Amino acid sequence: MTTTPRDLQMDWLKCFVAVVDAGSLASAAGEIHRSQSAVSMQIKKLEDALGQRLLERSARKLSLTPEGQTLLGYARRILDLHAEAQGALTGDELTGRVRLGVPDDYAQKYLTPVLKRFAPRHSGVEIELICEQSTSLIPRVASGDLDLALVSRDHARRGTLLFHEPRVWVGSPEFETWRRDPLPIAVYEDASLARRVAIHSLAQQGRRYKVVYHSSSLAGQIAAIESGLAVAALTQCSAPPHLRILGSEQGLGPLEPMEVAVYRSRESRGAKAVDELQDLLTRTLRLAA
């Protein structure tokens, strides 16, 4: 005898996605303003309806089962379409423009998932994306030229801290540039925090170095590494897999991680589209680290 599948309730799906995004039942409960026991019950109802276990719970973390991973994509699409339909029919559809800045390092790994969730829900919002180094983006936010920016924080009290991004030394396995003395390095512009971190690390080790290449772009840094011209300190998320991560075996010490934060302009306060994107950036990327 075949069992008729039960309909999936919106509340179940909302709780499921909230738990995945928040990383725990307790955190999700705060996000959606329900008790932890109520969230747990909604997840159980969803699992019972599907006849599948969706989440694996342990003392330290919560993870998706293969079935949960499959459902997650569908759940996001259902909730996004539901929100879009509500906005279109109630006249509450979000509109406006958001000027958003991000360095090349963070765009693909961290920004793309956020925009993939934001765009279907808020198709009436125009996003103007500017890719520059953090040292350029931060003053543009301060001046009101940008509404939001995802940047490497230059001051501990500024912006909203999201996570710490490791930095790593990267070289070409083909040329083994790290064997040279003095060590040839590729760096960003003079004001760059990444440049200061790299040079400070070398000074701490007493490693002789020579700056042989300057570039404000990630592509330029990678080109210098691939050609055997230099080694460079990159964010871990931007290091291409075909290049080699270098460490103590190559005579290179650790690097301080970057504090990744979201900055917002004063001029954009009260703008609902900016509010929504900032909220999604914060909720999503605090889980990414």
Side-chain angles (χ1 to χ4, degrees):
M1 181 177 178
T2 303
T3 303
T4 304
R6 293 171 60 189
D7 291 338
L8 304 183
Q9 303 298 315
M10 294 296 297
D11 281 350
W12 302 348
L13 296 176
K14 286 179 182 178
C15 284
F16 173 63
V17 172
V19 168
V20 174
D21 287 347
S24 72
L25 293 173
S27 297
E31 290 282 350
I32 60 178
H33 309 293
R34 292 196 177 199
S35 67
Q36 184 173 337
S37 59
V39 172
S40 180
M41 181 60 69
Q42 297 289 64
I43 297 298
K44 184 178 186 306
K45 288 179 180 178
L46 180 59
E47 291 181 328
D48 289 346
L50 291 167
Q52 304 277 1
R53 191 167 183 80
L54 302 173
L55 300 170
E56 294 290 353
R57 304 169 181 83
S58 67
R60 293 188 176 182
K61 68 176 184 177
L62 180 149
S63 59
L64 287 166
T65 65
E67 294 78 14
Q69 189 66 57
T70 299
L71 177 64
L72 181 61
Y74 289 109
R76 291 200 194 282
R77 286 162 56 190
I78 292 168
L79 294 176
D80 288 341
L81 189 58
H82 181 260
E84 185 180 341
Q86 282 184 319
L89 294 172
T90 62
D92 293 332
E93 184 178 6
L94 199 62
T95 59
R97 181 172 69 126
V98 181
R99 299 165 300 172
L100 175 64
V102 63
D104 291 338
D105 308 42
Y106 303 143
Q108 182 175 1
K109 180 173 181 180
Y110 296 121
L111 188 59
T112 298
V114 174
L115 295 182
K116 283 176 70 175
R117 292 181 58 192
F118 185 85
R121 295 184 184 184
H122 307 296
S123 58
V125 177
E126 174 190 351
I127 296 178
E128 180 183 345
L129 187 62
I130 295 92
C131 288
E132 295 178 358
Q133 288 300 306
S134 296
T135 47
S136 298
L137 295 174
I138 291 171
R140 292 186 68 177
V141 174
S143 68
D145 189 38
L146 293 176
D147 301 310
L148 289 174
L150 180 68
V151 296
S152 296
R153 184 159 75 169
D154 64 345
H155 192 286
R157 295 184 180 179
R158 294 178 183 166
T160 301
L161 178 64
L162 301 181
F163 60 92
H164 290 81
E165 173 65 26
R167 294 195 68 84
V168 291
W169 289 105
V170 181
S172 167
E174 181 180 356
F175 295 101
E176 297 190 345
T177 314
W178 58 86
R179 296 184 183 277
R180 301 177 193 168
D181 185 32
L183 179 72
I185 62 172
V187 293
Y188 289 105
E189 69 276 13
D190 289 343
S192 168
L193 178 61
R195 175 184 178 131
R196 297 200 302 269
V197 167
I199 290 176
H200 177 71
S201 174
L202 293 171
Q204 289 288 99
Q205 305 169 56
R207 179 81 187 258
R208 297 203 312 157
Y209 68 90
K210 180 180 180 181
V211 175
V212 298
Y213 185 82
H214 295 260
S215 176
S216 61
S217 75
L218 175 62
Q221 299 285 316
I222 292 174
I225 300 168
E226 290 177 330
S227 65
L229 181 64
V231 302
L234 304 180
T235 50
Q236 184 171 279
C237 67
S238 66
H242 64 282
L243 296 177
R244 184 170 178 179
I245 303 298
L246 310 175
S248 57
E249 291 184 4
Q250 292 78 35
L252 290 166
L255 294 157
E256 292 180 20
M258 295 289 100
E259 290 189 343
V260 182
V262 60
Y263 281 42
R264 179 170 181 172
S265 70
R266 292 181 179 178
E267 291 79 0
S268 70
R269 288 178 181 172
K272 291 184 178 180
V274 182
D275 289 343
E276 191 69 21
L277 183 54
Q278 181 182 14
D279 180 62
L280 186 59
L281 273 168
T282 302
R283 286 190 290 109
T284 304
L285 297 185
R286 274 183 171 159
L287 302 169

